[in-house]
Amino acid sequence: MSTASAYLSVRGIDIDVIYKDIKNLHIGVYPPLGRVRVAAPHRLDDDTVRLAVVQRLSWIKRQREQLQAADRQSEREMVTGESHYVWGIRHRLKVIERPGRAHFEVDGDRLLLYTPEGVEAEKRRDLLDKWHREQLRERLPDLIEHRAQELDVDVARWSIRRMKTKWGSCNRETGHVWFNVQLATKHPECLEYIAVHEMAHLLERGHGDRFTKLRDIHLPDWRLRRDQLKDAPLAHEEWSI
Ligand SMILES: [Zn+2]
């Protein structure tokens, strides 16, 4: 995976720009979530690239919508045998139908779903979403407190939400930080990476030198963690028994 030489944000869409020895500008929208990468000739500057992206914005948005729709279709059935990641470790789902309150439990390399009979896949996915939020809520308070102190920032509020294309985001004016609920499926180091990234944004808007310096100081192996997050499977594969 090549590393971008610049990062742009165009109308809320994050774009990786790679300057190369090429004649024309190429725009690519990549699965699974519609990441946008631009390969640009060296002679163009960031503003020219930004303009080219703006001109092709409706095409980019169309591609992203299609990819995201395809991603939704590959949603989990929530049946026994499926693989689900919990904190970066693959677990095999076992559904146990019995009366009572539906809930999840981890048992070794198994993720157990206790549920009354007749609960549909969509409801089961909602339950998993809720459980992921609980997992994150267990880890985040300590992590945020510790990192906020270190970075000397005020996180006024944090919340967990579903996001299709971002792992985290923040509002610099209000000090509100958001975490993608799917982070509960990734290694805890990824959660820490996103927390430090977003909290560093409270000090520095862009991804320039000052931002890099902050990350180098507070999370020296941030590049490894970023790659870990990028390469992590999105948990849509089947578990072979
Ligand atoms: Zn950022």
Side-chain angles (χ1 to χ4, degrees):
M1 200 162 293
S2 51
T3 305
S5 28
Y7 298 95
L8 298 178
S9 179
V10 178
R11 313 249 170 97
I13 298 176
D14 292 330
I15 290 151
D16 294 353
V17 185
I18 300 154
Y19 289 99
K20 284 181 168 176
D21 207 9
I22 47 173
K23 275 206 179 112
N24 299 306
L25 180 127
H26 300 270
I27 300 179
V29 182
Y30 295 89
L33 297 177
R35 180 137 206 103
V36 182
R37 248 178 250 147
V38 175
H42 288 295
R43 65 187 158 81
L44 302 184
D45 60 19
D46 286 2
D47 285 340
T48 317
V49 172
R50 181 185 294 276
L51 193 65
V53 169
V54 168
Q55 283 165 349
R56 290 160 184 84
L57 212 54
S58 63
W59 177 83
I60 290 170
K61 282 186 175 159
R62 242 184 356 261
Q63 304 304 311
R64 281 164 63 96
E65 275 158 23
Q66 280 171 13
L67 282 172
Q68 287 165 19
D71 186 57
R72 273 194 296 279
Q73 276 162 18
S74 64
E75 250 167 357
R76 323 311 309 281
E77 296 298 319
M78 300 301 296
V79 292
T80 292
E82 264 180 9
S83 63
H84 287 261
Y85 283 77
V86 180
W87 293 122
I89 295 165
R90 186 155 74 166
H91 287 67
R92 192 173 145 202
L93 181 66
K94 188 176 178 193
V95 179
I96 301 152
E97 290 188 318
R98 65 164 202 200
R101 189 181 62 87
H103 70 281
F104 283 94
E105 263 174 39
V106 169
D107 176 25
D109 63 355
R110 287 181 180 225
L111 177 63
L112 309 178
L113 166 58
Y114 291 94
T115 170
E117 264 179 76
V119 172
E120 284 170 12
E122 200 185 329
K123 178 82 172 82
R124 292 178 179 191
R125 285 193 291 269
D126 284 349
L127 286 164
L128 183 62
D129 185 273
K130 238 185 231 163
W131 188 73
H132 283 152
R133 286 165 195 263
E134 284 167 22
Q135 301 302 302
L136 288 167
R137 267 189 234 112
E138 271 177 29
R139 284 188 193 249
L140 276 168
D142 282 354
L143 175 60
I144 290 171
E145 196 194 308
H146 166 70
R147 289 297 183 169
Q149 219 166 44
E150 221 179 67
L151 283 151
D152 198 18
V153 295
D154 270 325
V155 176
R157 212 183 138 201
W158 57 269
S159 23
I160 299 158
R161 67 175 185 184
R162 284 190 200 214
M163 290 186 263
K164 271 290 172 191
T165 57
K166 285 179 179 175
W167 290 110
S169 64
C170 70
N171 181 319
R172 286 163 48 85
E173 279 70 43
T174 59
H176 192 161
V177 178
W178 288 270
F179 296 91
N180 188 322
V181 63
Q182 287 295 315
L183 281 165
T185 66
K186 309 297 178 192
H187 194 281
E189 284 186 353
C190 297
L191 178 64
E192 193 172 32
Y193 162 74
I194 293 300
V196 172
H197 184 111
E198 297 307 331
M199 287 157 84
H201 272 315
L202 297 178
L203 297 170
E204 179 65 31
R205 182 183 300 272
H207 295 111
D209 289 346
R210 189 165 168 247
F211 188 77
T212 303
K213 203 171 277 170
L214 279 170
R215 291 207 284 183
D216 285 344
I217 292 167
H218 295 286
L219 204 63
D221 65 347
W222 64 268
R223 287 176 186 83
L224 277 175
R225 297 184 191 220
R226 176 195 59 195
D227 294 345
Q228 195 179 352
L229 195 51
K230 270 188 183 170
D231 297 340
L234 275 134
H236 284 320
E237 68 197 295
E238 289 308 309
W239 183 284
S240 53
I241 301 165

